[in-house]
PDB file of all heavy atoms in Angstrom:
ATOM      1  N   ALA A 294     -11.501   4.956  -2.998  1.00  0.00           N
ATOM      2  CA  ALA A 294     -10.073   5.138  -3.044  1.00  0.00           C
ATOM      3  C   ALA A 294      -9.300   3.862  -3.306  1.00  0.00           C
ATOM      4  O   ALA A 294      -8.353   3.852  -4.084  1.00  0.00           O
ATOM      5  CB  ALA A 294      -9.616   5.776  -1.691  1.00  0.00           C
ATOM      6  N   PRO A 319      -0.280  -9.589   3.872  1.00  0.00           N
ATOM      7  CA  PRO A 319       0.533  -8.326   3.976  1.00  0.00           C
ATOM      8  C   PRO A 319       0.091  -7.203   3.039  1.00  0.00           C
ATOM      9  O   PRO A 319       0.197  -5.979   3.420  1.00  0.00           O
ATOM     10  CB  PRO A 319       2.008  -8.785   3.603  1.00  0.00           C
ATOM     11  CG  PRO A 319       1.975 -10.205   3.875  1.00  0.00           C
ATOM     12  CD  PRO A 319       0.553 -10.768   3.557  1.00  0.00           C
ATOM     13  N   GLN A 345     -27.223  -0.835  11.880  1.00  0.00           N
ATOM     14  CA  GLN A 345     -25.944  -0.741  11.169  1.00  0.00           C
ATOM     15  C   GLN A 345     -25.242  -2.077  11.298  1.00  0.00           C
ATOM     16  O   GLN A 345     -25.550  -2.869  12.181  1.00  0.00           O
ATOM     17  CB  GLN A 345     -25.170   0.368  11.704  1.00  0.00           C
ATOM     18  CG  GLN A 345     -25.706   1.796  11.484  1.00  0.00           C
ATOM     19  CD  GLN A 345     -24.865   2.864  12.019  1.00  0.00           C
ATOM     20  OE1 GLN A 345     -24.087   2.624  13.090  1.00  0.00           O
ATOM     21  NE2 GLN A 345     -24.827   4.096  11.471  1.00  0.00           N
ATOM     22  N   ALA A 352     -27.238  -7.451  21.154  1.00  0.00           N
ATOM     23  CA  ALA A 352     -27.776  -6.073  21.405  1.00  0.00           C
ATOM     24  C   ALA A 352     -29.091  -5.952  20.691  1.00  0.00           C
ATOM     25  O   ALA A 352     -29.969  -5.318  21.189  1.00  0.00           O
ATOM     26  CB  ALA A 352     -26.727  -5.013  20.864  1.00  0.00           C
ATOM     27  N   PHE A 364     -36.017 -10.842  17.911  1.00  0.00           N
ATOM     28  CA  PHE A 364     -35.260 -11.114  16.657  1.00  0.00           C
ATOM     29  C   PHE A 364     -34.803 -12.515  16.760  1.00  0.00           C
ATOM     30  O   PHE A 364     -34.006 -12.886  17.676  1.00  0.00           O
ATOM     31  CB  PHE A 364     -34.137 -10.100  16.503  1.00  0.00           C
ATOM     32  CG  PHE A 364     -33.398 -10.356  15.212  1.00  0.00           C
ATOM     33  CD1 PHE A 364     -34.020 -10.357  14.008  1.00  0.00           C
ATOM     34  CD2 PHE A 364     -31.998 -10.703  15.263  1.00  0.00           C
ATOM     35  CE1 PHE A 364     -33.294 -10.628  12.813  1.00  0.00           C
ATOM     36  CE2 PHE A 364     -31.343 -10.945  14.111  1.00  0.00           C
ATOM     37  CZ  PHE A 364     -31.929 -10.941  12.852  1.00  0.00           C
ATOM     38  N   ILE A 376     -24.560  -7.967  12.976  1.00  0.00           N
ATOM     39  CA  ILE A 376     -25.645  -8.119  12.076  1.00  0.00           C
ATOM     40  C   ILE A 376     -25.138  -8.179  10.650  1.00  0.00           C
ATOM     41  O   ILE A 376     -25.558  -8.991   9.802  1.00  0.00           O
ATOM     42  CB  ILE A 376     -26.666  -6.983  12.262  1.00  0.00           C
ATOM     43  CG1 ILE A 376     -27.358  -7.096  13.596  1.00  0.00           C
ATOM     44  CG2 ILE A 376     -27.717  -7.030  11.153  1.00  0.00           C
ATOM     45  CD1 ILE A 376     -28.063  -8.429  13.877  1.00  0.00           C
ATOM     46  N   MET A 395     -30.747 -16.475   8.143  1.00  0.00           N
ATOM     47  CA  MET A 395     -30.726 -15.056   8.190  1.00  0.00           C
ATOM     48  C   MET A 395     -31.434 -14.536   6.890  1.00  0.00           C
ATOM     49  O   MET A 395     -32.083 -13.488   6.904  1.00  0.00           O
ATOM     50  CB  MET A 395     -29.311 -14.502   8.275  1.00  0.00           C
ATOM     51  CG  MET A 395     -29.221 -13.088   8.333  1.00  0.00           C
ATOM     52  SD  MET A 395     -29.874 -12.386   9.961  1.00  0.00           S
ATOM     53  CE  MET A 395     -29.389 -10.664   9.889  1.00  0.00           C
ATOM     54  N   GLN A 429     -30.573  -9.965  -2.101  1.00  0.00           N
ATOM     55  CA  GLN A 429     -30.183 -11.393  -1.951  1.00  0.00           C
ATOM     56  C   GLN A 429     -28.853 -11.716  -2.601  1.00  0.00           C
ATOM     57  O   GLN A 429     -28.187 -12.726  -2.336  1.00  0.00           O
ATOM     58  CB  GLN A 429     -31.232 -12.378  -2.557  1.00  0.00           C
ATOM     59  CG  GLN A 429     -32.508 -12.331  -1.774  1.00  0.00           C
ATOM     60  CD  GLN A 429     -32.489 -12.855  -0.418  1.00  0.00           C
ATOM     61  OE1 GLN A 429     -31.414 -13.386   0.052  1.00  0.00           O
ATOM     62  NE2 GLN A 429     -33.550 -12.700   0.393  1.00  0.00           N
ATOM     63  N   ARG A 482     -44.773 -25.309  17.268  1.00  0.00           N
ATOM     64  CA  ARG A 482     -44.015 -24.385  18.191  1.00  0.00           C
ATOM     65  C   ARG A 482     -42.582 -24.876  18.540  1.00  0.00           C
ATOM     66  O   ARG A 482     -41.959 -24.213  19.212  1.00  0.00           O
ATOM     67  CB  ARG A 482     -44.903 -24.331  19.503  1.00  0.00           C
ATOM     68  CG  ARG A 482     -46.228 -23.666  19.375  1.00  0.00           C
ATOM     69  CD  ARG A 482     -46.855 -23.392  20.756  1.00  0.00           C
ATOM     70  NE  ARG A 482     -47.124 -24.577  21.464  1.00  0.00           N
ATOM     71  CZ  ARG A 482     -48.162 -25.364  21.365  1.00  0.00           C
ATOM     72  NH1 ARG A 482     -49.071 -25.047  20.456  1.00  0.00           N
ATOM     73  NH2 ARG A 482     -48.335 -26.428  22.092  1.00  0.00           N
ATOM     74  N   HIS A 512     -25.310 -41.608  27.986  1.00  0.00           N
ATOM     75  CA  HIS A 512     -26.128 -42.111  26.877  1.00  0.00           C
ATOM     76  C   HIS A 512     -25.514 -41.761  25.552  1.00  0.00           C
ATOM     77  O   HIS A 512     -24.780 -40.682  25.453  1.00  0.00           O
ATOM     78  CB  HIS A 512     -27.598 -41.442  27.018  1.00  0.00           C
ATOM     79  CG  HIS A 512     -28.170 -41.698  28.376  1.00  0.00           C
ATOM     80  ND1 HIS A 512     -28.931 -42.804  28.598  1.00  0.00           N
ATOM     81  CD2 HIS A 512     -28.264 -40.920  29.386  1.00  0.00           C
ATOM     82  CE1 HIS A 512     -29.427 -42.808  29.868  1.00  0.00           C
ATOM     83  NE2 HIS A 512     -29.010 -41.647  30.367  1.00  0.00           N
ATOM     84  N   ALA A 545     -35.349 -38.113  30.452  1.00  0.00           N
ATOM     85  CA  ALA A 545     -35.697 -36.759  30.084  1.00  0.00           C
ATOM     86  C   ALA A 545     -35.926 -35.836  31.249  1.00  0.00           C
ATOM     87  O   ALA A 545     -36.459 -36.266  32.299  1.00  0.00           O
ATOM     88  CB  ALA A 545     -36.880 -36.702  29.177  1.00  0.00           C
ATOM     89  N   GLN A 566     -15.443 -25.103  25.329  1.00  0.00           N
ATOM     90  CA  GLN A 566     -14.722 -26.248  25.832  1.00  0.00           C
ATOM     91  C   GLN A 566     -13.889 -26.958  24.758  1.00  0.00           C
ATOM     92  O   GLN A 566     -12.869 -27.650  25.144  1.00  0.00           O
ATOM     93  CB  GLN A 566     -15.672 -27.314  26.506  1.00  0.00           C
ATOM     94  CG  GLN A 566     -16.489 -26.732  27.700  1.00  0.00           C
ATOM     95  CD  GLN A 566     -15.553 -26.305  28.829  1.00  0.00           C
ATOM     96  OE1 GLN A 566     -14.532 -26.863  29.068  1.00  0.00           O
ATOM     97  NE2 GLN A 566     -15.934 -25.213  29.510  1.00  0.00           N
ATOM     98  N   GLY A 646     -25.229 -33.750   0.107  1.00  0.00           N
ATOM     99  CA  GLY A 646     -24.998 -32.904   1.261  1.00  0.00           C
ATOM    100  C   GLY A 646     -24.177 -31.651   0.780  1.00  0.00           C
ATOM    101  O   GLY A 646     -23.885 -31.404  -0.359  1.00  0.00           O
ATOM    102  N   PRO A 683     -15.100  -6.119 -10.683  1.00  0.00           N
ATOM    103  CA  PRO A 683     -14.229  -6.443 -11.838  1.00  0.00           C
ATOM    104  C   PRO A 683     -12.788  -6.481 -11.603  1.00  0.00           C
ATOM    105  O   PRO A 683     -12.042  -7.229 -12.203  1.00  0.00           O
ATOM    106  CB  PRO A 683     -14.688  -5.439 -12.969  1.00  0.00           C
ATOM    107  CG  PRO A 683     -15.282  -4.318 -12.129  1.00  0.00           C
ATOM    108  CD  PRO A 683     -15.910  -4.913 -10.976  1.00  0.00           C
TER     109      PRO A 683
END
Side-chain angles (χ1 to χ4, degrees):
Q345 294 181 329
F364 182 56
I376 296 303
M395 185 67 173
Q429 295 295 352
R482 295 189 298 275
H512 303 279
Q566 296 300 324

